[in-house]
Amino acid sequence: MSVTATKTDRVNLLDYDRAGLREYFASIGEKPFRADQVIKWLYQHGVADFDEMSNLAVSLRQKLSQVSEIYLPEVEQANLSADGTSKWIFRLRGGNSIETVFIPEKNRGTLCVSSQVGCALDCSFCSTARQGFNRNLSSGEIIGQVWLATHLLAQSPATREHRITNVVMMGMGEPLLNFNNLVKALNLMLDDSAYGLSKRRVTVSTSGVLPAMDKLKETVDVSLAVSLHAANDALRSRLVPLNDKYPISELMDTCRRWVGQGDRKRHVMFEYVMLEGVNDQPEHARQLVKLLKGFPCKVNLIPFNPFEQSGYQRSSDEAIDRFWQILHKNRIVATKRKTRGDDIDGACGQLAGQVNDRSKRVLKFMKPRYGESL
Ligand code: SAH
């Protein structure tokens, strides 16, 4: 280890949530309330330069710039779709890149945030899976996407009015396989001194990493989306190989624990990608009804977004409507997600980024399939 501090030896202040930053400040001999001030500068004012933090003494600013840094990924590409959707490619240290998407709607604006470089889960209909897995994002790289998107939207006249009201962890990667870093970033999204989003507006989407779902429930109060895609194990395992490890019955037990007893307010959003001739037939809808009847949930039907050599087709509108009708008749609330941003490859499952070193994908098959963290 080198004794002289290079840029990357310094701690990145974006890697801490408020509790962590207070501890860090105590460890360098500063009053913890200074950390609260810094959090406000960083996230409420979008300041990334110590010199602008005018309520901190100059000596503290100098000290901070010696021992720490405010590191944000670089903007490699920005695209604005005809429908108003923005997509950015952010370049990380070490050369990989990730994607972040902003989707404006009438009364809200949703930011779709990545949690990993690539993904290890190999879902057969997702283009991120084809990239392999490289590494987890740091907390700073996760919350940095919110920071950068806020900043970049405000900068351009075409998007100046756009506001981030919702965050969904539905970009690249499986958020629950990057648990600790995810939680710190979620804490900042919820913290009134940072982004102050309500728990209903921050959603973690998972393919069903069951132990981590239970842990998340105990750790931070956010909304949950589960990528279901099929209501029978044989088909779900084909689409989401993680189902071999955590089959549907155990997934539903975990979802029941998530919702809890007697608290009707908590629910689960089940995502269901509509693949022509694969999982979109009336029998599949009836299986889904049987699985979900009486469970506090919503189903989100996502028309499949094609990518090269995916081997799948998007279900027809008629097939999706027929599927929806069966759910509706059985009092299961379902919505059909509108495809947004597909002209800039920003739709669900089209996020690819750039993964330079894919060797970990090979490692994955040599070790127990999903590593020890499960
Ligand atoms: N790993 C997490 C979050 C990322 S995916 C998860 O699996 O939930 C976010 C959503 O987009 C998931 O529901 C995923 O199944 C869906 N998706 C992936 N590829 C897609 C595609 N090609 N078309 C439509 N939706 C897709």
Side-chain angles (χ1 to χ4, degrees), residues 6 11 16 47 72 115 118 178 180 196 238 284-285 311-312 347 368:
T6 66
V11 301
Y16 294 109
V47 161
L72 289 154
S115 55
N178 184 12
N180 293 338
R238 233 172 83 201
H284 299 120
Y312 292 109

Side-chain angles (χ1 to χ4, degrees), residues 125-126 169-171 173-175 205-207 227 229 271 273 302-305 307 348-349:
F125 53 88
C126 180
M169 296 303 305
M170 293 186 189
E174 167 51 51
S205 179
T206 180
S207 304
S227 294
H229 309 314
E271 294 162 277
V273 62
I302 312 172
F304 171 66
N305 293 308
F307 54 92
C348 308

Side-chain angles (χ1 to χ4, degrees), residues 47-67:
V47 161
D49 182 347
F50 293 117
D51 287 339
E52 288 179 43
M53 302 185 175
S54 54
N55 60 357
L56 303 186
V58 175
S59 56
L60 174 56
R61 286 185 242 162
Q62 272 168 356
K63 180 172 174 182
L64 284 176
S65 61
Q66 278 159 10
V67 296

Side-chain angles (χ1 to χ4, degrees), residues 152-203:
L152 294 164
L153 287 172
Q155 261 190 344
S156 158
T159 55
R160 194 170 290 150
E161 306 301 320
H162 290 170
R163 295 280 173 277
I164 298 168
T165 61
N166 294 58
V167 174
V168 293
M169 296 303 305
M170 293 186 189
M172 297 166 67
E174 167 51 51
L176 293 186
L177 289 182
N178 184 12
F179 193 87
N180 293 338
N181 293 343
L182 171 76
V183 164
K184 285 188 276 175
L186 294 175
N187 284 340
L188 288 167
M189 293 173 203
L190 299 170
D191 192 326
D192 282 337
S193 301
Y195 291 112
L197 298 174
S198 89
K199 61 186 179 187
R200 284 172 294 107
R201 291 170 177 271
V202 176
T203 301

Side-chain angles (χ1 to χ4, degrees), residues 291-306:
L291 186 72
L292 299 183
K293 206 153 193 179
F295 189 86
C297 65
K298 261 191 211 153
V299 175
N300 195 356
L301 302 176
I302 312 172
F304 171 66
N305 293 308

Side-chain angles (χ1 to χ4, degrees), residues 11 16 20-32 63:
V11 301
Y16 294 109
L21 198 63
R22 290 174 72 105
E23 260 175 48
Y24 174 68
F25 270 53
S27 79
I28 58 169
E30 296 295 333
K31 294 259 186 324
K63 180 172 174 182

